Amino acid sequence: MATLEDIGVSAFINILSAFAFLLAFALLRIQPINDRVYFPKWYIKGTRTSPRGGNFVTKWVNLNIMNYLTFLNWMPAALKMSQSELIDHAGLDSAVFLRIYLLGLKVFLPMTFAALLILIPVNVSGGSLFFLRKELVMSNIDKLSISNVPPKSIRFFVHISMEYLFTFWICYMLYKEYDIVASMRLRFLASQSRRVDQFSVLVRNVPHVSGRSVSETVDHFFQTNHPDHYIGHQAVYNANKFAKLVRKRDRLQNWLDYNQLKFERHPDKRPTSKLGFLGLWGKRVDSIEYYKQQIKELDKRMALERQKIIKDSKSIMHVAFLSFNSRWGAAVCAQTQQSKNPTLWLTNWAPEPRDVYWRNLSIPFFSLSIRRLIISLSVFALVFFYMIPIAFVQSLANLDGLEKVAPFLRPVIELKFIKSFLQGFLPGLALKVFLYILPTVLMIMSRIEGHVAFSVLERRAAAKYYYFMLVNVFLGSIVTGTAFEQLHAFLHQSPAQIPRTIGVSIPMKATFFVTYIMVDGWAGIASEILRLKPLVIYHLKNMFIVKTERDRKKAMNPGSVDFPETIPSLQLYFLLGIVYAVVTPILLPFIIVFFAFAFFVYRHQIINVYNQRYESAAAFWPHVHSRIIASLLISHLLLLGLLSTKKAANSTPLLIPLPILTLAFHKYCKNRFEPAFRKYPLEEAMAKDIAERNAEPNFNIKAYLADAYLHPIFGSFEEEAEPVQVRIDKNQASHVAAAAAVADSPSLSEVSSPSPPHYVHNYDVESQHYIYNYDVESQNNVYHYNVESHGNWY
């Protein structure tokens, strides 16, 4: 059991680590060589360029002494951007994510003052722990908890009153925050300009109709049931094999670009390479000609694979993206049941194009249920498998209990500093290490489940991670910790005393959670701003992989805020604070430091570093709200069980109405606010449609939606090596593709341009189609891609 001295050692180590991380960040961020690591968001937006130094040294190192004197100016700068500017800069998801930290501060600051002023004096004046049996392990911190209050004491009415007060305060803050976030979401959706996903619906489980293709079946059904608003659809192809070829061609093109740049710099020497493993042996060839030939052959394979996909009716999946001429029509389709058979024609709002996870669209609908059952069982097994390392961590945290059972360990662990290090710092660090790879594993499981949007994948992975944290980190730590630290007491006392021992030992686990908060919430958050791993990877890529500017942009890619890991971790801190607010209030100040520090750090990261892959308009907020409510219910039940071990028969029944009131509040909030996150009001949709029709009466919505959800087999223009024109008639669902081999096509000039060998490329604004052509001399495509309307498919 960690003592005050052990926690002091842990606090010293973690504060020193956090300060070292912050100091290193403040110095590294002003070095020109690291500029793309610490400010990638501005490079992506195009408002920042690489620092230009006067000589070789200044390109790498900042020699301006004044910058070193103001190395902490990033702190106030992180708070300057207003909320509206932050939404414009980083999106609503990022702004609402930061509000979770603010909510933590709003909830726990008043609770901390009330608990320290009222509950701590009540607990200290009890003195019950002084009279407990010697075999029971305790520390000085436990004298500040409810464990120190003697059984049958009238003081328990104070704890029950504070539990009611804290519950009402948390519910009040949750209600206000839910209202604010729901309003922000509706304003955000209303203020956005026209977006393709507002007019698009995803339909799954299209039934097989004899004598009709999937496209004909879709057209017939929706022309019949939505005749005034349905304007067409885009079929979905199983093109996963083609996507692998695309990625391979991208790598070859990158090597070709690198060797061509190398030849331009040194035209007197043609670049060469060996064909053996890693270029270490084998026949030496001209690199430029070799990669041109490889790309040429791969282009032929891609053309054949594309034609195979287009011509094979089996490659068309029973899924389609539907297009409507109004938001109102799309809303009606997305939010209603289409067939008397509820398992057919399943419609939902289509994700925005950059949010689509194309690979999972090819999964047959029947296999989805089987996949999700298997993953559910796998998650269940994983949770209980992790109980083994959790129990090991708890054995480190409770050396006193182990000493009584295994006295031969005493000479080693009784050394003062070693014992303080093992009990005060190592358990939290060990738990953090065990949890390191878990988010990646859970994300893979979510992908196997078959979800079709990145945002949904991350929310499902976050849900799994939350359940894992709840069972293993919270409940598992309490159960295994109780078994270890009270093992000697369990073996040498009567069965009648065991419930009382468990009741006393549950609040004693606050010492372990204090050390975990300091490791994860203090030093861990400081390491987040340092970005040590991305820093090392970026420079390694620059040294060994980066060959072109495109490579440099990929190496710089900062990714998004890791919602599947950060949001469940946040919810764990809410759980710890709510549960221990009445039981062991001394834990609350540590949680407040975490929320304040993390808000500060993540605000800086969102402004300068992270670039969100998608925008869900804060669709994750109902999950955050529900899990905070779950934390309240857990706190009620634990306090109820704890008081029952204290023989507080007169006061314990007063807690019974509290979970009932909490559930009623949750149901009210769910009915009041959640529809704003699940459905699009028809009133809003109609108002937006009318306003746009009045402003742009001649706008061609059909052309605007023509290629909005164009599959990567038609949309990957960077990888095209032959002139291919794809026209998709949404009403007839016909697909026309003209593919020709690069070197063998005699009609290339006829298809592309009347003046070979150089051809031009254009974008047809009216039809919303690309007309792109091929430069025979350089064997390279010249292309343009409208990112705003189509997004990135890869």
Side-chain angles (χ1 to χ4, degrees), residues 516-534:
Y516 177 76
I517 291 169
M518 287 189 289
V519 172
D520 180 70
W522 295 8
I525 292 297
S527 67
E528 157 67 29
I529 200 171
L530 178 60
R531 286 175 57 79
L532 185 60
K533 180 181 175 182

Side-chain angles (χ1 to χ4, degrees), residues 353-356 358 454 718 785 787 790-794:
R354 59 180 178 165
D355 192 20
V356 176
W358 288 95
F454 286 108
E718 292 187 10
Y785 188 47
V787 176
H790 292 284
N792 296 316
W793 303 118
Y794 285 90

Side-chain angles (χ1 to χ4, degrees), residues 32 49 90 95 169-170 221 344 556-557 566 604 619 647 650-651 666 693 754:
T49 56
W169 171 250
I170 293 170
F221 182 86
L344 300 176
M556 179 190 68
N557 181 25
T566 53
H604 174 275
K647 302 178 181 179
N650 294 329
S651 55
H666 176 57
R693 279 197 292 267

Side-chain angles (χ1 to χ4, degrees), residues 4 115-116 119-125 129 139-149 159 582-586:
L4 281 174
L116 295 181
L119 290 177
I120 293 293
V122 171
N123 294 336
V124 170
S125 61
L129 291 180
S139 72
N140 291 329
I141 291 181
D142 301 318
K143 298 172 186 176
L144 306 177
S145 73
I146 197 174
S147 300
N148 201 36
V149 180
H159 296 85
V582 173
V583 174
T584 310
I586 197 64

Side-chain angles (χ1 to χ4, degrees), residues 449-467:
E449 280 184 317
H451 303 291
V452 298
F454 286 108
S455 56
V456 179
L457 284 172
E458 294 198 347
R459 289 200 294 273
R460 294 303 304 161
K464 295 179 180 67
Y465 194 56
Y466 171 76
Y467 297 137

